[in-house]
Amino acid sequence: MKCCKYLTALLFSVAVSGAASAAPVLQMHRAVYDLSLGRVEPVSDVSGIDGRMVVEWRGGPTCGGYTSTQRVVTRVTGVEGSFVSNDIRLSYFEAADGSEFTFTRTEYTNGELTDQDDGTARREKNNEIKILREGAAPRTMPGEVLFPMEYNLAMIEKAENGERVFTQALFDGTEEGENPTTIFVGKSVSDQADRASAATRGEGAERLKGARHWPVRISYFEPEDREGVPSFEMGFALFSNGISTELRLDYPDVEIKGALREIAYFPAGDC
Protein backbone atom coordinates (compact mmCIF):
# COMPACT_ATOMS: atom_id res chain seq x y z
CA MET A 1 0.00 0.00 0.00
CA LYS A 2 1.07 3.59 -0.60
CA CYS A 3 0.97 4.54 3.06
CA CYS A 4 2.81 7.79 2.37
CA LYS A 5 0.41 8.95 -0.31
CA TYR A 6 -0.47 12.01 1.76
CA LEU A 7 0.15 15.11 -0.34
CA THR A 8 0.91 17.23 2.67
CA ALA A 9 -1.80 19.73 3.45
CA LEU A 10 -3.97 20.48 0.43
CA LEU A 11 -5.17 24.01 0.95
CA PHE A 12 -8.51 25.55 0.11
CA SER A 13 -10.36 28.76 0.90
CA VAL A 14 -13.87 29.65 -0.22
CA ALA A 15 -14.72 33.08 -1.59
CA VAL A 16 -17.86 34.72 -0.27
CA SER A 17 -18.69 35.97 -3.75
CA GLY A 18 -17.73 34.81 -7.21
CA ALA A 19 -14.99 37.41 -7.45
CA ALA A 20 -11.36 36.30 -7.35
CA SER A 21 -9.71 36.74 -3.94
CA ALA A 22 -6.18 37.59 -2.90
CA ALA A 23 -3.45 35.05 -3.51
CA PRO A 24 -3.48 32.29 -0.85
CA VAL A 25 -0.96 32.43 1.99
CA LEU A 26 0.26 29.02 3.10
CA GLN A 27 0.95 28.34 6.77
CA MET A 28 4.21 26.42 7.22
CA HIS A 29 3.79 23.82 9.94
CA ARG A 30 4.63 20.45 11.46
CA ALA A 31 1.72 18.03 11.93
CA VAL A 32 1.69 14.66 13.70
CA TYR A 33 -1.03 12.11 12.98
CA ASP A 34 -1.86 8.86 14.80
CA LEU A 35 -2.72 6.11 12.31
CA SER A 36 -5.20 3.27 12.87
CA LEU A 37 -7.22 0.74 10.92
CA GLY A 38 -10.62 1.75 9.59
CA ARG A 39 -12.67 -0.19 7.05
CA VAL A 40 -11.53 -3.75 6.22
CA GLU A 41 -12.87 -5.75 3.29
CA PRO A 42 -13.50 -9.51 3.79
CA VAL A 43 -10.85 -10.34 1.17
CA SER A 44 -8.14 -8.42 3.04
CA ASP A 45 -5.33 -10.24 4.82
CA VAL A 46 -4.90 -7.29 7.23
CA SER A 47 -6.32 -7.44 10.75
CA GLY A 48 -4.68 -4.38 12.31
CA ILE A 49 -2.71 -1.21 11.53
CA ASP A 50 -1.18 1.32 13.87
CA GLY A 51 1.47 3.94 13.38
CA ARG A 52 2.30 7.60 13.05
CA MET A 53 2.75 10.11 10.25
CA VAL A 54 4.71 13.36 10.53
CA VAL A 55 4.50 16.07 7.85
CA GLU A 56 6.62 19.23 7.91
CA TRP A 57 6.60 22.24 5.56
CA ARG A 58 9.10 25.11 5.69
CA GLY A 59 10.17 27.95 3.44
CA GLY A 60 8.27 30.24 1.11
CA PRO A 61 8.87 32.73 -1.72
CA THR A 62 11.45 34.68 0.33
CA CYS A 63 13.42 31.44 0.72
CA GLY A 64 13.36 30.71 -3.00
CA GLY A 65 11.08 27.75 -2.48
CA TYR A 66 9.59 25.21 -0.12
CA THR A 67 11.07 22.19 1.66
CA SER A 68 9.05 19.28 2.98
CA THR A 69 9.84 16.18 5.00
CA GLN A 70 7.36 13.40 5.59
CA ARG A 71 7.69 10.17 7.52
CA VAL A 72 5.15 7.37 7.85
CA VAL A 73 5.83 4.50 10.26
CA THR A 74 3.28 1.68 10.41
CA ARG A 75 2.93 -1.78 11.88
CA VAL A 76 0.57 -3.97 9.85
CA THR A 77 -0.79 -7.13 11.49
CA GLY A 78 -1.97 -10.04 9.34
CA VAL A 79 -5.02 -12.19 9.97
CA GLU A 80 -2.76 -14.99 11.23
CA GLY A 81 -0.96 -12.75 13.71
CA SER A 82 2.19 -12.01 11.71
CA PHE A 83 3.21 -8.39 11.30
CA VAL A 84 5.25 -6.16 8.99
CA SER A 85 6.73 -2.79 9.94
CA ASN A 86 7.13 -0.11 7.29
CA ASP A 87 9.08 3.13 7.54
CA ILE A 88 8.66 5.44 4.54
CA ARG A 89 10.53 8.76 4.36
CA LEU A 90 10.05 11.55 1.82
CA SER A 91 11.90 14.82 1.43
CA TYR A 92 11.85 17.40 -1.31
CA PHE A 93 12.47 20.95 -2.39
CA GLU A 94 10.18 22.84 -4.76
CA ALA A 95 11.28 26.13 -6.33
CA ALA A 96 8.86 28.97 -5.61
CA ASP A 97 8.39 29.62 -9.33
CA GLY A 98 7.65 25.96 -10.07
CA SER A 99 10.71 25.55 -12.27
CA GLU A 100 12.32 22.67 -10.37
CA PHE A 101 11.41 19.89 -7.96
CA THR A 102 13.95 17.59 -6.26
CA PHE A 103 12.86 14.55 -4.27
CA THR A 104 14.12 11.60 -2.24
CA ARG A 105 12.07 8.61 -1.14
CA THR A 106 13.41 5.87 1.15
CA GLU A 107 11.54 2.81 2.41
CA TYR A 108 12.45 0.33 5.15
CA THR A 109 10.62 -2.95 5.76
CA ASN A 110 11.20 -4.66 9.10
CA GLY A 111 14.25 -2.43 9.56
CA GLU A 112 15.86 -3.32 6.23
CA LEU A 113 16.28 -0.85 3.37
CA THR A 114 13.99 -2.10 0.60
CA ASP A 115 13.57 0.87 -1.75
CA GLN A 116 15.23 4.19 -2.50
CA ASP A 117 14.49 6.71 -5.21
CA ASP A 118 15.64 10.25 -5.86
CA GLY A 119 15.63 12.61 -8.77
CA THR A 120 14.87 16.02 -10.18
CA ALA A 121 12.02 17.31 -12.32
CA ARG A 122 12.60 20.51 -14.32
CA ARG A 123 10.40 22.63 -16.54
CA GLU A 124 11.98 23.05 -19.94
CA LYS A 125 11.71 26.15 -22.15
CA ASN A 126 8.88 24.48 -24.09
CA ASN A 127 7.08 24.04 -20.72
CA GLU A 128 7.49 20.27 -20.94
CA ILE A 129 8.67 18.70 -17.67
CA LYS A 130 11.71 16.42 -17.70
CA ILE A 131 12.32 13.93 -14.88
CA LEU A 132 15.92 12.89 -14.26
CA ARG A 133 16.72 9.86 -12.13
CA GLU A 134 20.16 8.31 -11.71
CA GLY A 135 20.50 5.16 -13.79
CA ALA A 136 17.26 5.75 -15.69
CA ALA A 137 16.45 7.34 -19.02
CA PRO A 138 14.94 10.84 -18.82
CA ARG A 139 11.17 10.90 -18.71
CA THR A 140 8.89 13.71 -19.83
CA MET A 141 5.51 14.91 -18.58
CA PRO A 142 3.05 17.48 -19.97
CA GLY A 143 3.52 21.06 -18.81
CA GLU A 144 0.13 21.15 -17.06
CA VAL A 145 1.38 18.69 -14.41
CA LEU A 146 1.95 20.50 -11.10
CA PHE A 147 4.35 19.93 -8.23
CA PRO A 148 2.90 19.67 -4.68
CA MET A 149 2.96 23.33 -3.65
CA GLU A 150 1.79 24.49 -7.09
CA TYR A 151 -0.96 21.90 -6.80
CA ASN A 152 -2.00 23.15 -3.35
CA LEU A 153 -2.13 26.77 -4.48
CA ALA A 154 -4.15 25.86 -7.56
CA MET A 155 -6.65 23.98 -5.39
CA ILE A 156 -7.11 26.98 -3.11
CA GLU A 157 -7.72 29.36 -5.97
CA LYS A 158 -10.27 27.04 -7.60
CA ALA A 159 -12.15 26.50 -4.34
CA GLU A 160 -12.11 30.23 -3.60
CA ASN A 161 -13.93 30.72 -6.89
CA GLY A 162 -16.59 28.21 -5.85
CA GLU A 163 -15.47 25.17 -7.88
CA ARG A 164 -16.46 21.92 -6.18
CA VAL A 165 -15.22 19.29 -8.63
CA PHE A 166 -12.06 19.66 -10.70
CA THR A 167 -9.17 17.65 -12.10
CA GLN A 168 -5.43 18.23 -11.96
CA ALA A 169 -2.38 16.07 -12.62
CA LEU A 170 0.26 15.96 -9.86
CA PHE A 171 3.89 14.88 -9.60
CA ASP A 172 5.21 14.44 -6.05
CA GLY A 173 8.04 11.93 -6.55
CA THR A 174 6.19 8.89 -5.20
CA GLU A 175 5.44 7.55 -8.70
CA GLU A 176 7.44 7.16 -11.90
CA GLY A 177 5.43 9.92 -13.51
CA GLU A 178 2.33 12.02 -12.97
CA ASN A 179 -0.81 11.12 -11.03
CA PRO A 180 -4.06 12.36 -12.60
CA THR A 181 -6.42 13.37 -9.78
CA THR A 182 -10.03 14.44 -9.32
CA ILE A 183 -10.80 16.66 -6.33
CA PHE A 184 -14.20 16.99 -4.65
CA VAL A 185 -14.83 19.84 -2.16
CA GLY A 186 -17.93 19.65 0.05
CA LYS A 187 -19.75 22.07 2.32
CA SER A 188 -18.25 23.02 5.66
CA VAL A 189 -19.10 20.85 8.69
CA SER A 190 -20.08 23.25 11.46
CA ASP A 191 -18.51 21.50 14.44
CA GLN A 192 -15.37 20.19 12.73
CA ALA A 193 -13.15 23.02 13.99
CA ASP A 194 -14.03 22.46 17.65
CA ARG A 195 -13.62 18.68 17.36
CA ALA A 196 -10.21 19.04 15.74
CA SER A 197 -9.01 21.59 18.28
CA ALA A 198 -10.13 19.47 21.24
CA ALA A 199 -8.28 16.40 19.94
CA THR A 200 -5.05 18.23 19.06
CA ARG A 201 -2.09 19.24 21.17
CA GLY A 202 0.51 21.89 20.40
CA GLU A 203 0.79 25.61 20.01
CA GLY A 204 -1.40 25.73 16.90
CA ALA A 205 -4.43 23.84 18.26
CA GLU A 206 -6.31 26.91 19.48
CA ARG A 207 -6.02 28.51 16.04
CA LEU A 208 -8.18 25.74 14.61
CA LYS A 209 -11.21 26.89 16.62
CA GLY A 210 -13.64 28.68 14.38
CA ALA A 211 -11.33 28.37 11.36
CA ARG A 212 -12.90 27.88 7.93
CA HIS A 213 -12.76 24.30 6.73
CA TRP A 214 -14.21 21.90 4.14
CA PRO A 215 -14.50 18.14 3.63
CA VAL A 216 -12.31 17.15 0.69
CA ARG A 217 -11.89 13.89 -1.20
CA ILE A 218 -9.23 13.21 -3.83
CA SER A 219 -9.21 10.30 -6.27
CA TYR A 220 -5.87 9.24 -7.78
CA PHE A 221 -5.69 7.48 -11.14
CA GLU A 222 -3.03 5.74 -13.14
CA PRO A 223 -1.89 7.87 -16.14
CA GLU A 224 -3.09 5.24 -18.63
CA ASP A 225 -6.49 4.84 -16.90
CA ARG A 226 -7.71 8.37 -16.19
CA GLU A 227 -11.37 7.45 -16.69
CA GLY A 228 -11.36 4.14 -14.80
CA VAL A 229 -11.48 3.15 -11.15
CA PRO A 230 -9.19 5.20 -8.85
CA SER A 231 -6.09 3.37 -7.64
CA PHE A 232 -6.25 5.24 -4.34
CA GLU A 233 -8.50 7.78 -2.61
CA MET A 234 -7.97 10.15 0.28
CA GLY A 235 -10.46 12.14 2.32
CA PHE A 236 -9.87 14.77 5.02
CA ALA A 237 -11.20 17.91 6.63
CA LEU A 238 -9.26 20.86 5.26
CA PHE A 239 -8.75 24.13 7.14
CA SER A 240 -8.13 27.42 5.37
CA ASN A 241 -4.73 27.75 7.09
CA GLY A 242 -3.57 24.51 5.41
CA ILE A 243 -4.06 22.10 8.30
CA SER A 244 -5.78 18.79 7.57
CA THR A 245 -7.61 16.58 10.08
CA GLU A 246 -9.60 13.34 10.09
CA LEU A 247 -7.61 11.70 7.31
CA ARG A 248 -9.05 8.71 5.49
CA LEU A 249 -6.62 6.83 3.22
CA ASP A 250 -8.67 4.42 1.12
CA TYR A 251 -7.04 1.40 -0.50
CA PRO A 252 -9.02 -1.34 -2.29
CA ASP A 253 -9.04 -3.68 0.73
CA VAL A 254 -8.53 -1.43 3.78
CA GLU A 255 -8.88 2.11 5.05
CA ILE A 256 -6.29 3.87 7.22
CA LYS A 257 -7.50 6.62 9.53
CA GLY A 258 -5.26 9.52 10.57
CA ALA A 259 -6.11 11.68 13.60
CA LEU A 260 -4.23 14.96 14.05
CA ARG A 261 -2.61 14.90 17.49
CA GLU A 262 0.06 17.61 17.43
CA ILE A 263 0.46 20.80 15.43
CA ALA A 264 3.13 23.52 15.48
CA TYR A 265 3.40 26.55 13.21
CA PHE A 266 6.58 28.00 11.77
CA PRO A 267 7.05 31.75 11.19
CA ALA A 268 6.67 32.98 7.63
CA GLY A 269 9.99 32.90 5.80
CA ASP A 270 11.54 30.39 8.22
CA CYS A 271 13.91 28.69 5.80
Side-chain angles (χ1 to χ4, degrees):
M1 297 183 299
K2 299 177 187 174
C3 295
C4 63
K5 180 54 78 173
Y6 169 65
L7 307 178
T8 61
L10 298 178
L11 309 175
F12 296 83
S13 178
V14 174
V16 176
S17 69
S21 58
V25 177
L26 309 184
Q27 173 64 62
M28 301 296 99
H29 66 278
R30 181 177 188 269
V32 180
Y33 300 86
D34 287 342
L35 304 178
S36 60
L37 181 63
R39 168 190 59 83
V40 182
E41 296 296 329
V43 297
S44 177
D45 58 0
V46 174
S47 65
I49 294 176
D50 62 85
R52 176 161 284 196
M53 176 167 62
V54 181
V55 179
E56 181 174 307
W57 282 97
R58 290 183 182 267
T62 59
C63 303
Y66 302 88
T67 60
S68 177
T69 57
Q70 302 176 39
R71 187 175 182 184
V72 184
V73 178
T74 56
R75 176 184 168 109
V76 181
T77 304
V79 293
E80 296 181 355
S82 60
F83 72 89
V84 176
S85 65
N86 294 289
D87 182 350
I88 301 174
R89 307 174 190 184
L90 286 170
S91 63
Y92 54 74
F93 171 81
E94 180 177 338
D97 62 1
S99 61
E100 184 171 292
F101 178 71
T102 61
F103 58 92
T104 298
R105 180 182 186 276
T106 308
E107 182 171 352
Y108 296 86
T109 303
N110 293 333
E112 299 291 330
L113 177 64
T114 52
D115 192 22
Q116 188 167 14
D117 183 31
D118 57 78
T120 300
R122 295 192 182 98
R123 291 190 186 278
E124 304 293 296
K125 291 183 178 180
N126 62 359
N127 199 38
E128 193 174 62
I129 300 172
K130 181 176 291 186
I131 306 173
L132 303 173
R133 287 182 167 97
E134 185 175 354
R139 179 172 182 150
T140 59
M141 296 185 297
E144 62 266 22
V145 175
L146 299 182
F147 304 137
M149 190 57 72
E150 290 181 301
Y151 183 90
N152 296 346
L153 289 167
M155 298 304 99
I156 299 170
E157 292 174 356
K158 286 179 178 293
E160 283 178 338
N161 290 326
E163 296 187 43
R164 291 292 172 262
V165 181
F166 40 91
T167 61
Q168 177 60 60
L170 166 75
F171 178 75
D172 64 359
T174 63
E175 301 288 349
E176 290 296 315
E178 72 270 25
N179 256 141
T181 70
T182 299
I183 302 95
F184 304 87
V185 182
K187 294 183 179 180
S188 177
V189 182
S190 59
D191 63 345
Q192 171 61 42
D194 290 338
R195 295 206 314 270
S197 179
T200 306
R201 299 181 295 270
E203 62 193 61
E206 286 299 310
R207 291 172 62 178
L208 292 179
K209 286 185 176 179
R212 301 167 72 184
H213 53 280
W214 302 267
V216 174
R217 189 165 184 84
I218 304 177
S219 298
Y220 297 83
F221 299 88
E222 299 299 332
E224 65 277 5
D225 191 22
R226 296 170 186 252
E227 304 298 330
V229 177
S231 60
F232 169 79
E233 293 187 294
M234 177 170 64
F236 51 94
L238 180 68
F239 285 75
S240 58
N241 64 358
I243 307 304
S244 297
T245 66
E246 296 193 1
L247 306 181
R248 294 290 188 272
L249 310 181
D250 275 335
Y251 300 91
D253 57 339
V254 299
E255 173 194 60
I256 300 175
K257 299 187 295 184
L260 179 64
R261 293 304 183 216
E262 297 180 24
I263 182 71
Y265 294 163
F266 302 131
D270 182 3
C271 304

